[in-house]
Amino acid sequence: MKSKNDRLETLRMIISSRELGNQEELLAALRDEGFVVTQATLSRDLKQLKVAKAATMRGSYVYVLPSVAMYKRVSTPSQVKEMMQVPGFLSIHFSGNMCVIKTRPGYASSIAYNIDASGIPHILGTIAGDDTIFIVIKEGIQQRDVVSALSAVVPEMARAGE
C-alpha cells in the first residue's frame, strides 16, 4: 500500500507538470499513477498542499502549487509575445534595479512564469502575487535595456514603459 506522503508527492508532480482544471481530471491522473482515492480525500490533499487555481493564457483555470519554482512544468511555456496579447497585462514601472508589472487579477502568476521561462538575461527572477509581479533586474542594467529586451517580443510592454 502506498503512503500518504507518496500520494502527496505524486499529486505535486501531477499538478506541476500538467494543466488540469477539475478534480475529476486529478482523480484520473492519480488513478493512472496507482492511487485510488475519493473526492473527499483529494479535497483534503489539495487543502494540505495549499493548491490554488490560476488563469492560463487561454483563459481557463488550472490547479497550481503555491511555489511553482520547486517544480518545473513539462508543458512548453507561452512566449512572452503570446502572453502579452492576453488582456491581463496592465502596466510596467521601474525603481532602481526593480520593476513592477501590474496585471488583471489572476494573471500575475502565469505571466511571471512565462517571463522567467523566456530567458531574458537582464532579469534575475520574478515574484508574483494575484495582480502584481515584482522583477529583480541585474545590477548595472538600464531600464531601457529591460524594456528593449521585453519589447523585442512584447510590443505592448514597450509602449507601457514609455
Side-chain angles (χ1 to χ4, degrees):
M1 182 170 178
K2 296 182 179 185
S3 73
K4 179 179 179 181
N5 287 337
D6 291 338
R7 183 178 73 241
L8 292 175
E9 184 59 27
T10 300
L11 188 54
R12 280 186 196 98
M13 295 307 295
I14 289 169
I15 291 169
S16 67
S17 65
R18 303 182 199 174
E19 292 187 350
L20 302 175
N22 62 53
Q23 289 190 3
E24 292 80 18
E25 292 173 338
L26 284 173
L27 287 169
L30 281 170
R31 249 190 322 275
D32 291 345
E33 298 295 328
F35 295 93
V36 179
V37 297
T38 65
Q39 184 274 329
T41 298
L42 177 60
S43 290
R44 285 189 296 273
D45 288 351
L46 293 174
K47 184 175 181 177
Q48 181 177 344
L49 295 174
K50 296 180 173 63
V51 171
K53 280 196 168 183
T56 67
M57 295 290 81
R58 294 175 299 286
S60 61
Y61 286 84
V62 297
Y63 290 105
V64 294
L65 296 166
S67 175
V68 295
M70 292 175 58
Y71 299 94
K72 184 177 186 317
R73 286 193 180 270
V74 173
S75 61
T76 305
S78 300
Q79 294 296 314
V80 176
K81 181 178 180 181
E82 296 168 7
M83 166 192 69
M84 298 315 273
Q85 291 173 349
V86 175
F89 172 78
L90 297 177
S91 66
I92 183 171
H93 300 282
F94 294 87
S95 178
N97 72 326
M98 299 175 288
C99 172
V100 174
I101 294 177
K102 297 298 283 182
T103 71
R104 293 203 169 138
Y107 284 89
S109 180
S110 57
I111 291 174
Y113 173 79
N114 285 302
I115 289 171
D116 286 338
S118 69
I120 296 171
H122 306 313
I123 296 174
L124 294 174
T126 63
I127 299 173
D130 184 55
D131 63 357
T132 305
I133 303 167
F134 174 76
I135 298 176
V136 177
I137 303 163
K138 286 184 178 178
E139 291 283 336
I141 302 295
Q142 299 295 316
Q143 294 171 6
R144 68 180 176 274
D145 296 332
V146 175
V147 171
S148 177
L150 288 171
S151 67
V153 290
V154 186
E156 296 84 357
M157 189 168 293
R159 287 193 297 276
E162 295 174 351

